[in-house]
Amino acid sequence: MNNWAPGNIVRGLVIAGALVMVSGCQMWQSIMPVGNEEMPRVREGTLAALPATDIRQSPEGLEADSGPASDVSIETVMESYNALLPLLDDPRKQVTIRHRLADLEFQRAERKMADTAVDELSGAIDAYQRLLSEYPEREGNDQIYYQLARAWELRGATPQQLEALNTLVRRYPDSEYWIEAQFRRGDLLFIDGRYRDAEQAFDEVTLASQERMADASFLVNAHYMKGWSLFKQAQYQEALFSYVEVLDLVMPDGQPVEDVDQRSQTLIEDLFRVVGLSLSYLDGAETLQALFRQTGGRPYEILVYDRYSELLLEREQYTDAIDVYEAYIEDHPASPWAPRYHIRIIDTLELAGFTRTIPDRKAGFVSLYGIYSDYWQSADPDAIAFIEQQLEQLLPELADRQYLLAGEATDDQQADGHYRNAARYYAEFAATFPDHPRTPERLFLLGETYLELEDWPAAIAAFERVAYDYPGDRVPERAAEAGYASVLAFREYAKTWDNQPVSDQRAYQELQQLNRLRFANAFPDDPRAPAVYYIALQREFDQNNWEETVNMAARLVTWQPAPPSDLTTEALLLSGHSLSELARYAEAEQAYRDALATMAENDERRGSVRENLAAAVYRQAEQLADAGNVEAAVSEFLRVGSAVPESVLRANAEYDAASLLITANLWDQAISVLTSFRRAFPDHELIDTVPAKLALAYRETEQWERAADELQQMVALATTPEERRENLLIAAELYDQAGNREKAIDTWRDYANSHPEPADVYMEAANRLSELYQEEGDTERRDYWLRKQMETVDDAPEEADDRMRYLAASASATLAREALARYDSIRLTLPLNESMTAKTDALERAVNAYQKTASYGLSSFSTEAGYQIAHIYGRLGADLMDSERPTGLSELELAQYELLLEEQAYPFEDNAIDIHEQNIRRAREGIFDEWVRRSYEALKVLLPGRYRKEEVTSGIVYELD
């Protein structure tokens, strides 16, 4: 409300400013704090800040003054009223005029005081008092008491002001000025130090404001001043409840302080300070916790805790601040602020220099908020981000500390406890930050920690993660070291297996073997790899795994960089022994020869190895003899003497050869001559031609495999790459001709891997390999060589001839048919979106495969590709219509679902029609094969109106326009 006329607003604001200055100074002097107390500031709604109430009233029967006040002065208006007054006979109108004259006099005096600071209020005060004296029961006297109180206030007459307000409040409980008057009473009583009376006055204001739905500023400030009144009476606990009432009104949604209107921000900040003071006079954090437990949680609760803790930190009351943080965490363990307050506790302890408990606090943070905590499972992304930021530092710090403490421990039990704690933190870091650049380092330390605990399986697992779990572009710096550490850990672990059941021991040994191989395969350039691989090789030999021993030995012999010679020798010996066990004596012979070549001359085993070599040759001869191949048998028997002249088997071998010669005939004689030549002249310059001639002899006797074996020797003897290539190619063809699929595959593969040129021959080799693997049922290797054919043409399409393009297209078609089969096998089931995703993925792979087939430009495959691509799209549309329907649909819903499916299916059917039509256009080019015909048949079904028409003839047409 406003008691200023419109034209006097500006001047009225000046007077109001004077009111603020006068009353504000009085209040400031009366509530100065004692000791460390703080004082309330000038507040909205107080005597110092609240605007005056508009009490203007027009006299009954008279028109109120109108028009701008600047046109007519107050003095002129007063003169008019004074002139009018004697002319009135009606006492009521006389009283009204006198009241108006008193108000105008007050207005004039206020202006005078504002302009010149001269007190001329006596006239107004006397006029008001006479009216009250002469008309004590007059209606509207509450307005006069209100104005009289304002006049006394301007004059600084506090007792008289309070008396006027007391009268107004006592006699006019229903007055519209009652709430403001009561509030002003409370202010004056507070200033006068009558805190109990002030409390009651402010309490009355709160009750009346709520009851009458009055201006909220009175309610807010009344609660605030009631709290201060209680505070001054040392009733700190009760004061807190008043402060809560204030916060409920100004921060109902718990918004940040800066979002509250500017006038309330100062009040809120003052409020936070006085709350802190009140709590400090009570039990601090315990009182604060009890307060919100009693009142119930509030949106702004965190602000109260926050401001109070800041106040305590400013006062260096570190323990009390920690108590505040702990109280909040206790009542709000799931709050986003809980982990932040936990960190503040740690920061406060560091600030205070209370470092003894900091490690336990940090460990508590990990336990309460880490990745394995209940908190983590339901935390919001911001909280998780904050926690991760802390854990990134805390986990390594805690782990390293525990590791150091373990090293300083005085007994094993204490050390084990620290190591286990360190391991837990290292592991949790890896789980929390799997992609962190420091995770491999933490995992390595985890492995070392488990070594200290002699927890071999866990150590092995940690080291293997470092060594093998990272992709090629992110291999850790210590990957090889970790891999080798896992090998060493397995060696220690093996010492504990003696008391285990035999079956368990075997299982452990297999795991250990895999671990060795994994290291050697992953880090072949590591200088320790060959030795580890040899141990694995020895293990296979001890287990009588002859085939695996041979393969592994071959790899070790060709290892790059070359391993120590003693490892090579041992690998060749194990290979020779294994080949002998497999009755692969020719290979065993070669292995023994290679072993002797690398063995030291003074090695005591040389004699026995040479006897093994002779035995391998002798056994080859026996095999040939048993097979009825006399000529080859004679050759092999006679070769024993040439291979190992000092062998004890030489005499028997030559005797057996002589026996076979008796029964020899035809090509046998030629072979006999050749073997005799080989025996008699082992150092002759033509000795290297013997394998070629023997190969010819064997071919003439249709001994394809033996011929191929000789050709393999020729490959080894070849002096030029081209010679080697030709011999290897013939050998592969001979193995193929012999029906020895295994050797054929090995030789074709050897050829293809070592001779990519000429490309046309390479294509034939790759094609033959794909056919052989198809016969073997090994589709993975078959697909590999199919793709190799395609890659050869793709890499140099301009160099490919028709045959090469045909082979590439055929290979592509084979792969495409399998992609089509996988596509056709996928049914559309509920939920449709999941099965549809799988179906469309398969569609894309199949279409891409057939498009690749068509790209080679061979019509026989292009028409197939066109038909199948159309079939794929058509099939998807049909499958959509045939897909499962959701249960529980109404008839209308089912109809709508059917319509939706049709809308989804039509585009695929249209695509199928377009592609079929493209395919049948090839008939114009003279191409009408099975696939074009099948496209015609499909179009008859898809577009019967266009393609299922009977031919109509009306005669002979000799030419077309």
Side-chain angles (χ1 to χ4, degrees):
M1 301 176 68
N2 194 334
N3 74 335
W4 313 120
N8 297 330
I9 291 176
V10 174
R11 283 173 293 176
L13 290 174
V14 175
I15 296 172
L19 294 175
V20 172
M21 294 174 58
V22 173
S23 60
C25 291
Q26 292 171 345
M27 180 182 297
W28 185 265
Q29 295 169 357
S30 65
I31 59 172
M32 282 293 291
V34 296
N36 292 325
E37 295 179 9
E38 297 187 16
M39 57 171 290
R41 302 181 185 177
V42 175
R43 305 164 310 286
E44 179 186 8
T46 66
L47 184 63
L50 288 171
T53 305
D54 183 3
I55 54 96
R56 185 182 61 187
Q57 177 177 337
S58 299
E60 296 179 15
L62 296 176
E63 183 178 348
D65 54 331
S66 60
S70 58
D71 294 340
V72 181
S73 66
I74 293 178
E75 288 77 3
T76 301
V77 175
M78 292 179 67
E79 288 175 0
S80 298
Y81 276 126
N82 282 320
L84 177 63
L85 187 60
L87 304 177
L88 295 176
D89 296 328
D90 188 342
R92 290 182 302 160
K93 292 182 179 181
Q94 292 178 349
V95 173
T96 301
I97 292 298
R98 290 175 63 189
H99 189 171
R100 181 59 176 154
L101 283 168
D103 288 340
L104 289 170
E105 175 61 20
F106 182 45
Q107 183 177 347
R108 186 196 64 77
E110 278 185 308
R111 182 180 302 170
K112 184 73 172 181
M113 178 172 283
D115 292 342
T116 65
V118 174
D119 182 356
E120 295 183 355
L121 292 167
S122 297
I125 292 173
D126 290 342
Y128 285 138
Q129 287 179 334
R130 283 196 301 271
L131 285 172
L132 291 173
S133 175
E134 294 175 15
Y135 306 100
E137 303 300 327
R138 174 176 171 270
E139 182 180 353
N141 280 354
D142 57 334
Q143 296 176 359
I144 296 177
Y145 280 112
Y146 177 84
Q147 289 294 81
L148 186 59
R150 290 185 63 232
W152 289 124
E153 181 182 17
L154 287 174
R155 179 168 280 185
T158 302
Q160 291 85 344
Q161 177 190 1
L162 181 58
E163 181 182 356
L165 291 172
N166 286 340
T167 303
L168 193 159
V169 168
R170 183 178 66 256
R171 296 180 59 183
Y172 304 99
D174 298 324
S175 172
E176 61 179 301
Y177 310 107
W178 190 91
I179 291 177
E180 183 181 352
Q182 187 70 281
F183 185 89
R184 293 173 182 272
R185 281 188 68 249
D187 257 343
L188 294 174
L189 292 168
F190 187 92
I191 293 169
D192 197 35
R194 296 162 62 182
Y195 302 119
R196 174 59 182 162
D197 293 337
E199 174 203 341
Q200 292 176 350
F202 291 127
D203 188 52
E204 291 291 336
V205 173
T206 63
L207 295 175
S209 294
Q210 292 171 340
E211 179 180 338
R212 303 183 189 185
M213 304 294 290
D215 185 351
S217 61
F218 285 113
L219 181 60
V220 170
N221 285 280
H223 278 300
Y224 178 76
M225 289 306 300
K226 177 183 175 183
W228 265 106
S229 300
L230 290 165
F231 180 89
K232 288 294 187 176
Q233 298 174 71
Q235 298 182 38
Y236 307 116
Q237 184 72 50
E238 291 77 5
L240 290 173
F241 290 107
S242 290
Y243 301 144
V244 169
E245 295 284 357
V246 177
L247 289 172
D248 284 344
L249 291 168
V250 297
M251 301 183 68
D253 299 321
Q255 68 269 44
V257 174
E258 57 269 20
D259 291 348
V260 179
D261 65 87
Q262 186 64 41
R263 291 176 300 173
S264 297
Q265 284 186 26
T266 302
L267 176 106
I268 292 172
E269 293 298 341
D270 286 345
L271 193 63
F272 284 143
R273 282 191 288 272
V274 73
V275 167
L277 289 172
S278 299
L279 292 171
S280 298
Y281 286 125
L282 296 168
D283 294 325
E286 183 179 344
T287 301
L288 179 58
Q289 187 179 42
L291 173 66
F292 284 111
R293 286 181 178 178
Q294 185 171 351
T295 63
R298 293 293 198 274
Y300 53 78
E301 183 175 348
I302 183 62
L303 288 174
V304 179
Y305 274 91
D306 212 47
R307 291 293 199 279
Y308 183 42
S309 61
E310 289 177 1
L311 175 64
L312 294 172
L313 291 175
E314 290 174 3
R315 296 179 173 182
E316 299 184 359
Q317 295 176 239
Y318 301 119
T319 301
D320 292 338
I322 290 171
D323 290 341
V324 172
Y325 297 139
E326 289 180 333
Y328 183 85
I329 294 172
E330 178 182 356
D331 279 3
H332 305 280
S335 166
W337 280 91
R340 289 174 168 81
Y341 271 8
H342 198 112
I343 293 300
R344 286 195 188 178
I345 291 173
I346 295 172
D347 294 342
T348 303
L349 289 170
E350 291 178 343
L351 180 65
F354 303 153
T355 58
R356 184 177 59 83
T357 62
I358 288 179
D360 292 337
R361 294 282 189 173
K362 292 179 177 179
F365 183 89
V366 173
S367 176
L368 289 171
Y369 308 110
I371 192 172
Y372 301 117
S373 67
D374 293 338
Y375 184 93
W376 182 282
Q377 311 310 316
S378 57
D380 60 52
D382 289 341
I384 292 294
F386 175 81
I387 294 169
E388 286 179 340
Q389 182 182 2
Q390 308 309 314
L391 293 177
E392 186 177 6
Q393 176 181 348
L394 291 180
L395 286 170
E397 177 185 327
L398 290 168
D400 293 345
R401 179 177 182 276
Q402 290 294 325
Y403 196 93
L404 290 174
L405 289 174
E408 298 170 357
T410 57
D411 61 76
D412 292 342
Q413 183 176 0
Q414 187 181 41
D416 281 358
H418 288 306
Y419 280 129
R420 293 191 188 282
N421 289 335
R424 185 173 73 254
Y425 294 130
Y426 287 136
E428 187 161 347
F429 184 92
T432 306
F433 306 103
D435 298 323
H436 197 285
R438 294 180 61 191
T439 295
E441 173 193 346
R442 297 290 124 188
L443 285 171
F444 194 94
L445 293 172
L446 175 62
E448 290 188 329
T449 304
Y450 281 130
L451 289 181
E452 296 291 344
L453 292 167
E454 297 186 0
D455 188 344
W456 312 116
I460 292 166
F463 287 131
E464 286 187 338
R465 286 182 65 185
V466 178
Y468 312 118
D469 283 6
Y470 290 88
D473 59 338
R474 293 197 298 114
V475 175
E477 181 179 352
R478 303 180 70 183
E481 186 178 350
Y484 189 67
S486 72
V487 173
L488 297 180
F490 245 120
R491 185 177 65 186
E492 296 301 317
Y493 187 28
K495 296 176 183 179
T496 68
W497 299 342
D498 292 341
N499 297 328
Q500 298 293 327
V502 174
S503 60
D504 289 350
Q505 289 189 40
R506 289 175 179 169
Y508 293 150
Q509 289 165 359
E510 287 301 318
L511 291 174
Q512 185 178 20
Q513 182 72 342
L514 291 174
N515 173 265
R516 298 185 188 112
L517 293 173
R518 198 175 187 186
F519 172 74
N521 292 332
F523 308 104
D525 295 335
D526 190 284
R528 298 164 292 193
V532 173
Y533 192 75
Y534 174 74
I535 297 173
L537 170 62
Q538 183 69 54
R539 158 75 181 171
E540 295 299 327
F541 181 80
D542 292 342
Q543 295 297 308
N544 298 336
N545 295 329
W546 313 124
E547 287 282 2
E548 189 64 23
T549 301
V550 171
N551 294 334
M552 291 178 63
R555 181 184 177 193
L556 185 56
V557 169
T558 60
W559 200 282
Q560 291 298 328
S565 59
D566 58 334
L567 288 181
T568 303
T569 300
E570 297 302 325
L572 290 167
L573 289 175
L574 292 178
S575 179
H577 299 334
S578 299
L579 290 166
S580 296
E581 293 292 340
L582 292 168
R584 292 160 58 181
Y585 300 113
E587 296 171 80
E589 173 194 352
Q590 187 61 49
Y592 289 131
R593 287 183 182 277
D594 292 342
L596 288 167
T598 61
M599 188 177 291
E601 290 295 331
N602 61 352
D603 195 312
E604 296 178 354
R605 298 175 295 173
R606 288 189 66 87
S608 61
V609 173
R610 290 180 60 80
E611 283 299 329
N612 288 337
L613 171 60
V617 177
Y618 188 86
R619 292 301 181 188
Q620 290 177 71
E622 284 187 330
Q623 286 180 328
L624 293 170
D626 292 342
N629 192 338
V630 177
E631 295 84 347
V634 170
S635 175
E636 291 303 293
F637 279 130
L638 296 178
R639 195 167 60 85
V640 171
S642 63
V644 188
E646 76 278 12
S647 173
V648 296
L649 295 175
R650 181 172 183 178
N652 290 339
E654 291 185 357
Y655 178 82
D656 292 341
S659 299
L660 289 173
L661 283 173
I662 296 173
T663 60
N665 193 16
L666 298 174
W667 282 100
D668 297 343
Q669 293 176 359
I671 294 172
S672 176
V673 172
L674 289 171
T675 55
S676 296
F677 180 85
R678 181 178 282 167
R679 182 196 67 226
F681 308 105
D683 298 325
H684 195 276
E685 60 181 358
L686 297 177
I687 193 64
D688 289 342
T689 66
V690 172
K693 297 181 180 301
L694 281 173
L696 176 62
Y698 288 137
R699 292 173 71 177
E700 289 295 328
T701 56
E702 299 185 352
Q703 300 179 63
W704 313 117
E705 185 173 346
R706 293 187 177 90
D709 288 340
E710 293 296 331
L711 277 163
Q712 289 284 36
Q713 293 190 39
M714 293 168 62
V715 170
L717 295 170
T719 57
T720 66
E722 180 60 20
E723 181 183 356
R724 181 183 184 280
R725 185 191 70 78
E726 291 179 352
N727 289 336
L728 193 59
L729 177 62
I730 297 171
E733 293 172 343
L734 288 173
Y735 281 132
D736 232 348
Q737 193 171 357
N740 188 326
R741 191 182 297 156
E742 180 180 356
K743 286 188 176 181
I745 289 174
D746 290 342
T747 311
W748 280 117
R749 185 174 62 240
D750 189 9
Y751 180 89
N753 286 333
S754 56
H755 298 288
E757 298 289 340
D760 58 339
V761 181
Y762 173 82
M763 287 286 289
E764 296 293 344
N767 180 58
R768 185 54 188 151
L769 279 168
S770 66
E771 293 173 346
L772 289 170
Y773 279 124
Q774 177 67 42
E775 295 171 9
E776 286 281 303
D778 189 344
T779 57
E780 181 178 355
R781 290 185 171 85
R782 180 207 65 183
D783 293 348
Y784 174 85
W785 290 107
L786 289 173
R787 286 190 289 270
K788 282 294 183 182
Q789 295 175 63
M790 297 166 61
E791 291 172 6
T792 301
V793 174
D794 294 344
D795 292 342
E798 68 283 352
E799 298 177 10
D801 57 23
D802 291 344
R803 171 65 178 171
M804 293 170 64
R805 283 192 292 273
Y806 176 84
L807 291 176
S810 177
S812 177
T814 301
L815 295 173
R817 289 170 195 136
E818 291 195 353
L820 175 60
R822 287 191 292 273
Y823 166 79
D824 285 338
S825 67
I826 298 174
R827 291 186 63 249
L828 292 181
T829 59
L830 295 176
L832 187 58
N833 60 334
E834 294 181 6
S835 60
M836 187 64 179
T837 298
K839 188 74 172 179
T840 53
D841 288 345
L843 177 145
E844 183 177 356
R845 288 192 288 271
V847 169
N848 289 341
Y850 271 114
Q851 288 175 339
K852 181 63 178 176
T853 302
S855 70
Y856 291 108
L858 274 73
S859 60
S860 57
F861 294 103
S862 297
T863 55
E864 177 186 355
Y867 172 81
Q868 295 294 13
I869 291 172
H871 161 77
I872 289 167
Y873 284 111
R875 176 65 182 269
L876 182 57
D879 286 353
L880 268 172
M881 297 308 300
D882 294 335
S883 61
E884 293 182 30
R885 303 305 196 260
T887 60
L889 296 180
S890 67
E891 183 175 351
L892 175 59
E893 290 171 337
L894 183 58
Q896 292 174 337
Y897 186 86
E898 293 286 346
L899 181 59
L900 180 62
L901 286 180
E902 289 176 6
E903 292 175 352
Q904 295 294 321
Y906 282 151
F908 296 109
E909 184 174 304
D910 289 342
N911 283 345
I913 291 171
D914 290 343
I915 298 170
H916 277 311
E917 289 182 333
Q918 293 175 31
N919 213 30
I920 66 173
R921 291 192 191 105
R922 295 179 180 271
R924 301 176 185 174
E925 303 168 6
I927 302 171
F928 193 82
D929 59 9
E930 174 191 2
W931 301 105
V932 174
R933 180 183 57 78
R934 292 175 70 174
S935 282
Y936 268 115
E937 295 299 321
L939 286 169
K940 289 179 181 180
V941 177
L942 293 170
L943 290 175
R946 183 185 301 177
Y947 293 98
R948 192 181 292 275
K949 293 181 179 179
E950 297 298 328
E951 293 184 1
V952 178
T953 59
S954 60
I956 299 174
V957 178
Y958 291 97
E959 65 181 11
L960 297 175
D961 291 333

